[in-house]
Amino acid sequence: MFWPVASGFALGGGLIIAIGAQNAFLLRQGLLRSHVFILCLIAATADAALIIAGVAGVGTLVQSNPTLLKVVTLGGAIFLTVYALQAAWRAWKPDALAVEGQAPASLGKAVSTLLAFTFLNPHVYLDTVVLVGGISAQYVGDARVAFAVGAVLASFVWFFSLGYGARLLTPLFAKPRAWQILDGIIAIIMALLALSLLQRFFTS
């Protein structure tokens, strides 16, 4: 079961690491040491719920339809390729993440802001429900569960590392070179996953 877990972890991690509004918000909260645990828990749990929904629903639907499986596989490969190219472009043109100092927000405001960043972002549904759920159709039975566990584990590891490691990482990520390396790694991971899907598409 190692490879399904590792594959799910790599996909989940690669998709979630790209810095967006949600991650920038959590990083800022980590810098302020404000409601870090509850915000990381909410972000990871929400992501896990979407992943499980995708694997349980979309994965089963796709697996039962060979034509749909090929469509999702090709679509996933294309999406991952575009994602890899975007990360490569960011690595080529890096920017430092500016985190301005500000007073800590109330818990209610912080949670509502995080939920908005999470559920009002259309990419979260494409990434977790459709893409992860669709790719999980490549696995059957316990292997699919292991794939989902890997993807969920990546979410928990990333969000809690981001929240609690913020103060350690911020001096480093004030430098464009750090973002360049991170985005370069993301680009490589996404490209390898895309190649894997293309291989499945042309050999199935």
Side-chain angles (χ1 to χ4, degrees), residues 14-15 17-19 79-94 179-191:
L15 290 173
I17 285 174
I19 292 297
F79 177 80
L80 290 171
T81 300
V82 172
Y83 213 105
L85 291 173
Q86 290 176 339
W89 176 255
R90 290 195 303 269
W92 182 258
K93 299 287 186 180
W179 290 111
Q180 198 169 25
I181 294 172
L182 179 62
D183 281 322
I185 292 172
I186 292 171
I188 292 171
I189 291 174
M190 295 296 99

Side-chain angles (χ1 to χ4, degrees), residues 59-156:
T60 301
L61 174 63
V62 170
Q63 186 185 25
S64 65
N65 188 323
T67 301
L68 184 57
L69 177 58
K70 291 184 73 70
V71 170
V72 171
T73 301
L74 181 59
I78 293 172
F79 177 80
L80 290 171
T81 300
V82 172
Y83 213 105
L85 291 173
Q86 290 176 339
W89 176 255
R90 290 195 303 269
W92 182 258
K93 299 287 186 180
D95 294 309
L97 179 65
V99 181
E100 301 83 6
Q102 65 180 40
S106 66
L107 177 60
K109 183 177 180 180
V111 169
S112 61
T113 301
L114 176 63
L115 291 176
F117 281 145
T118 301
F119 292 107
L120 297 182
N121 177 9
H123 290 291
V124 73
Y125 301 102
L126 179 62
D127 289 354
T128 55
V129 178
V130 177
L131 184 61
V132 176
I135 292 176
S136 73
Q138 307 290 332
Y139 301 94
V140 179
D142 291 342
R144 189 189 297 179
V145 174
F147 178 85
V149 168
V152 168
L153 181 61
S155 293
F156 276 86

